[in-house]
Amino acid sequence: MEKILFEEEQRMRQWWIIAIPILLIGIFAYGIFQQEVMGIPFGNQPAPSWGIALFMFIPIGLLWFFWSLKLTTKITNEMIIIDFGILGKKQIKLLDIKTAAVVTYSPLKDYGGWGLRVGTNGTAYNVAGKTGLQIDLKKGKRIMIGTQKGEILKPIVEKLLP
């Protein structure tokens, strides 16, 4: 039976990821209030209130998506499991790993930001911070998994992986 040696759950809680959809929802809600309660058209070419309400579903959907998105990383004695919700799930057998180390990196410079990123440096799964588990596979691919528990993860990786 596989034993879980490490487990971490991270959520995207950067203030700007939450603030932008909330701001848009507020603007749309105010537009409906202005038209329906105050009787003043919202904008130079006002849309009907039902149309504004329809557009409110876009930032509501974005807010729900980012709020519900979580990155779960599990390491067992046989594999590393990455679960990024709707963005995908990946299992990496320890036997397929050439090297692995906990490193400091720049999400913006090295991977173009946070989230699920596929680029010339490899694939990154990250939600915040600049510490990650860098995995080089025997097939030549690189995977970076962001972590907020680098100090806990480091001795596990050093003991378990080459």
Side-chain angles (χ1 to χ4, degrees):
M1 182 170 169
E2 290 186 67
K3 179 182 176 188
I4 296 176
L5 306 172
F6 176 83
E7 186 169 6
E8 180 180 19
E9 183 179 291
Q10 302 176 75
R11 293 186 176 270
M12 296 193 93
R13 293 295 187 260
Q14 291 87 343
W15 69 269
W16 56 273
I17 289 177
I18 305 303
I20 292 171
I22 288 174
L23 178 66
L24 290 172
I25 292 167
I27 291 169
F28 290 138
Y30 178 77
I32 294 169
F33 174 80
Q34 182 175 313
Q35 288 190 164
E36 295 298 319
V37 176
M38 298 170 57
I40 303 168
F42 185 65
N44 294 334
Q45 296 178 332
S49 295
W50 63 265
I52 297 171
L54 248 157
F55 275 102
M56 259 174 57
F57 282 106
I58 296 169
I60 289 170
L62 284 172
L63 183 62
W64 173 83
F65 172 73
F66 285 118
W67 194 260
S68 65
L69 191 63
K70 70 178 175 181
L71 172 62
T72 304
T73 307
K74 291 181 187 176
I75 299 178
T76 71
N77 52 352
E78 295 180 13
M79 68 178 55
I80 298 172
I81 303 157
I82 309 162
D83 187 349
F84 211 172
I86 195 170
L87 296 180
K89 187 173 184 174
K90 185 166 188 69
Q91 295 183 355
I92 305 164
K93 293 179 182 176
L94 299 185
L95 297 172
D96 295 335
I97 297 174
K98 183 167 82 173
T99 61
V102 175
V103 299
T104 300
Y105 69 106
S106 171
L108 286 171
K109 184 177 143 207
D110 297 333
Y111 293 98
W114 292 271
L116 172 59
R117 301 293 182 168
V118 179
T120 56
N121 288 342
T123 302
Y125 300 83
N126 55 27
V127 296
K130 55 186 179 181
T131 304
L133 174 58
Q134 181 176 294
I135 302 167
D136 289 316
L137 299 174
K138 291 177 182 174
K139 292 181 179 178
K141 293 184 179 182
R142 174 172 282 174
I143 297 171
M144 177 68 74
I145 308 166
T147 182
Q148 302 301 306
K149 298 180 177 180
E151 294 303 315
I152 296 168
L153 182 57
K154 190 173 185 172
I156 294 168
V157 170
E158 288 172 350
K159 180 180 174 187
L160 193 61
L161 299 166

mmCIF file of all heavy atoms in Angstrom, residues 5-8 75 102 131 147-158:
data_model
loop_
_atom_site.group_PDB
_atom_site.id
_atom_site.type_symbol
_atom_site.label_atom_id
_atom_site.label_comp_id
_atom_site.label_asym_id
_atom_site.label_seq_id
_atom_site.Cartn_x
_atom_site.Cartn_y
_atom_site.Cartn_z
ATOM 1 N N LEU A 5 3.764 10.529 1.895
ATOM 2 C CA LEU A 5 4.909 11.110 2.592
ATOM 3 C C LEU A 5 4.815 12.630 2.692
ATOM 4 O O LEU A 5 5.402 13.233 3.584
ATOM 5 C CB LEU A 5 6.198 10.719 1.867
ATOM 6 C CG LEU A 5 6.404 9.215 1.637
ATOM 7 C CD1 LEU A 5 7.603 8.968 0.749
ATOM 8 C CD2 LEU A 5 6.553 8.498 2.961
ATOM 9 N N PHE A 6 4.084 13.222 1.747
ATOM 10 C CA PHE A 6 3.931 14.674 1.714
ATOM 11 C C PHE A 6 2.609 14.996 1.044
ATOM 12 O O PHE A 6 2.239 14.371 0.054
ATOM 13 C CB PHE A 6 5.084 15.309 0.921
ATOM 14 C CG PHE A 6 4.958 16.793 0.747
ATOM 15 C CD1 PHE A 6 5.368 17.659 1.740
ATOM 16 C CD2 PHE A 6 4.435 17.336 -0.424
ATOM 17 C CE1 PHE A 6 5.265 19.038 1.586
ATOM 18 C CE2 PHE A 6 4.323 18.706 -0.599
ATOM 19 C CZ PHE A 6 4.742 19.553 0.414
ATOM 20 N N GLU A 7 1.924 15.994 1.585
ATOM 21 C CA GLU A 7 0.674 16.447 0.974
ATOM 22 C C GLU A 7 0.524 17.940 1.234
ATOM 23 O O GLU A 7 0.757 18.414 2.349
ATOM 24 C CB GLU A 7 -0.516 15.684 1.550
ATOM 25 C CG GLU A 7 -1.818 15.998 0.858
ATOM 26 C CD GLU A 7 -2.951 15.046 1.259
ATOM 27 O OE1 GLU A 7 -2.765 14.218 2.156
ATOM 28 O OE2 GLU A 7 -4.015 15.155 0.648
ATOM 29 N N GLU A 8 0.140 18.658 0.188
ATOM 30 C CA GLU A 8 -0.051 20.098 0.303
ATOM 31 C C GLU A 8 -1.206 20.525 -0.579
ATOM 32 O O GLU A 8 -1.335 20.068 -1.704
ATOM 33 C CB GLU A 8 1.226 20.842 -0.115
ATOM 34 C CG GLU A 8 1.104 22.336 -0.032
ATOM 35 C CD GLU A 8 2.372 23.065 -0.439
ATOM 36 O OE1 GLU A 8 3.237 22.457 -1.116
ATOM 37 O OE2 GLU A 8 2.503 24.243 -0.101
ATOM 38 N N ILE A 75 2.946 13.241 -2.453
ATOM 39 C CA ILE A 75 4.093 12.405 -2.766
ATOM 40 C C ILE A 75 3.958 11.124 -1.954
ATOM 41 O O ILE A 75 3.787 11.174 -0.731
ATOM 42 C CB ILE A 75 5.425 13.105 -2.435
ATOM 43 C CG1 ILE A 75 5.555 14.386 -3.272
ATOM 44 C CG2 ILE A 75 6.605 12.166 -2.691
ATOM 45 C CD1 ILE A 75 6.803 15.189 -2.990
ATOM 46 N N VAL A 102 14.129 20.911 -4.467
ATOM 47 C CA VAL A 102 13.347 22.082 -4.080
ATOM 48 C C VAL A 102 14.209 23.301 -4.406
ATOM 49 O O VAL A 102 15.353 23.395 -3.965
ATOM 50 C CB VAL A 102 12.977 22.028 -2.581
ATOM 51 C CG1 VAL A 102 12.274 23.315 -2.159
ATOM 52 C CG2 VAL A 102 12.082 20.829 -2.295
ATOM 53 N N THR A 131 8.904 29.277 -4.585
ATOM 54 C CA THR A 131 9.580 28.038 -4.227
ATOM 55 C C THR A 131 8.841 26.895 -4.899
ATOM 56 O O THR A 131 7.613 26.882 -4.933
ATOM 57 C CB THR A 131 9.583 27.826 -2.696
ATOM 58 O OG1 THR A 131 10.188 28.955 -2.080
ATOM 59 C CG2 THR A 131 10.341 26.575 -2.308
ATOM 60 N N THR A 147 5.309 25.295 -4.263
ATOM 61 C CA THR A 147 5.039 24.842 -2.899
ATOM 62 C C THR A 147 5.198 25.994 -1.919
ATOM 63 O O THR A 147 6.017 26.897 -2.131
ATOM 64 C CB THR A 147 5.954 23.668 -2.486
ATOM 65 O OG1 THR A 147 5.602 23.248 -1.169
ATOM 66 C CG2 THR A 147 7.423 24.050 -2.521
ATOM 67 N N GLN A 148 4.423 25.964 -0.872
ATOM 68 C CA GLN A 148 4.567 26.893 0.237
ATOM 69 C C GLN A 148 5.263 26.196 1.405
ATOM 70 O O GLN A 148 5.457 26.785 2.463
ATOM 71 C CB GLN A 148 3.188 27.404 0.688
ATOM 72 C CG GLN A 148 2.400 28.092 -0.410
ATOM 73 C CD GLN A 148 3.103 29.292 -0.990
ATOM 74 O OE1 GLN A 148 3.497 30.187 -0.254
ATOM 75 N NE2 GLN A 148 3.295 29.306 -2.297
ATOM 76 N N LYS A 149 5.597 24.924 1.224
ATOM 77 C CA LYS A 149 6.202 24.116 2.284
ATOM 78 C C LYS A 149 7.561 23.567 1.852
ATOM 79 O O LYS A 149 7.867 22.400 2.039
ATOM 80 C CB LYS A 149 5.273 22.958 2.648
ATOM 81 C CG LYS A 149 3.930 23.395 3.195
ATOM 82 C CD LYS A 149 3.074 22.198 3.536
ATOM 83 C CE LYS A 149 1.754 22.617 4.145
ATOM 84 N NZ LYS A 149 0.924 21.441 4.480
ATOM 85 N N GLY A 150 8.374 24.431 1.278
ATOM 86 C CA GLY A 150 9.669 24.011 0.764
ATOM 87 C C GLY A 150 10.576 23.387 1.813
ATOM 88 O O GLY A 150 11.267 22.407 1.540
ATOM 89 N N GLU A 151 10.573 23.938 3.020
ATOM 90 C CA GLU A 151 11.444 23.425 4.086
ATOM 91 C C GLU A 151 11.019 22.028 4.543
ATOM 92 O O GLU A 151 11.857 21.226 4.936
ATOM 93 C CB GLU A 151 11.463 24.395 5.271
ATOM 94 C CG GLU A 151 12.105 25.736 4.942
ATOM 95 C CD GLU A 151 13.532 25.609 4.429
ATOM 96 O OE1 GLU A 151 14.326 24.839 5.018
ATOM 97 O OE2 GLU A 151 13.865 26.281 3.434
ATOM 98 N N ILE A 152 9.734 21.747 4.491
ATOM 99 C CA ILE A 152 9.231 20.415 4.855
ATOM 100 C C ILE A 152 9.497 19.434 3.711
ATOM 101 O O ILE A 152 9.865 18.282 3.934
ATOM 102 C CB ILE A 152 7.720 20.476 5.173
ATOM 103 C CG1 ILE A 152 7.483 21.354 6.405
ATOM 104 C CG2 ILE A 152 7.133 19.082 5.376
ATOM 105 C CD1 ILE A 152 6.034 21.708 6.645
ATOM 106 N N LEU A 153 9.323 19.911 2.487
ATOM 107 C CA LEU A 153 9.460 19.063 1.305
ATOM 108 C C LEU A 153 10.913 18.681 1.005
ATOM 109 O O LEU A 153 11.188 17.554 0.573
ATOM 110 C CB LEU A 153 8.844 19.778 0.097
ATOM 111 C CG LEU A 153 8.836 19.068 -1.240
ATOM 112 C CD1 LEU A 153 8.131 17.714 -1.141
ATOM 113 C CD2 LEU A 153 8.176 19.951 -2.292
ATOM 114 N N LYS A 154 11.832 19.581 1.271
ATOM 115 C CA LYS A 154 13.238 19.377 0.888
ATOM 116 C C LYS A 154 13.836 18.066 1.427
ATOM 117 O O LYS A 154 14.384 17.280 0.640
ATOM 118 C CB LYS A 154 14.074 20.574 1.320
ATOM 119 C CG LYS A 154 15.470 20.570 0.761
ATOM 120 C CD LYS A 154 16.184 21.859 1.085
ATOM 121 C CE LYS A 154 17.539 21.864 0.411
ATOM 122 N NZ LYS A 154 18.213 23.133 0.526
ATOM 123 N N PRO A 155 13.757 17.756 2.720
ATOM 124 C CA PRO A 155 14.348 16.502 3.188
ATOM 125 C C PRO A 155 13.652 15.254 2.629
ATOM 126 O O PRO A 155 14.298 14.215 2.417
ATOM 127 C CB PRO A 155 14.236 16.568 4.711
ATOM 128 C CG PRO A 155 13.278 17.658 5.004
ATOM 129 C CD PRO A 155 13.243 18.560 3.815
ATOM 130 N N ILE A 156 12.361 15.343 2.352
ATOM 131 C CA ILE A 156 11.629 14.215 1.784
ATOM 132 C C ILE A 156 12.147 13.930 0.377
ATOM 133 O O ILE A 156 12.402 12.793 0.005
ATOM 134 C CB ILE A 156 10.102 14.510 1.768
ATOM 135 C CG1 ILE A 156 9.583 14.607 3.200
ATOM 136 C CG2 ILE A 156 9.335 13.431 0.986
ATOM 137 C CD1 ILE A 156 8.185 15.161 3.318
ATOM 138 N N VAL A 157 12.305 14.998 -0.412
ATOM 139 C CA VAL A 157 12.790 14.868 -1.783
ATOM 140 C C VAL A 157 14.229 14.336 -1.795
ATOM 141 O O VAL A 157 14.556 13.438 -2.568
ATOM 142 C CB VAL A 157 12.702 16.221 -2.532
ATOM 143 C CG1 VAL A 157 13.425 16.180 -3.856
ATOM 144 C CG2 VAL A 157 11.244 16.606 -2.736
ATOM 145 N N GLU A 158 15.068 14.866 -0.925
ATOM 146 C CA GLU A 158 16.474 14.439 -0.869
ATOM 147 C C GLU A 158 16.599 12.959 -0.498
ATOM 148 O O GLU A 158 17.476 12.256 -0.995
ATOM 149 C CB GLU A 158 17.255 15.303 0.101
ATOM 150 C CG GLU A 158 17.479 16.702 -0.439
ATOM 151 C CD GLU A 158 18.094 17.656 0.583
ATOM 152 O OE1 GLU A 158 18.186 17.278 1.787
ATOM 153 O OE2 GLU A 158 18.460 18.771 0.189
#
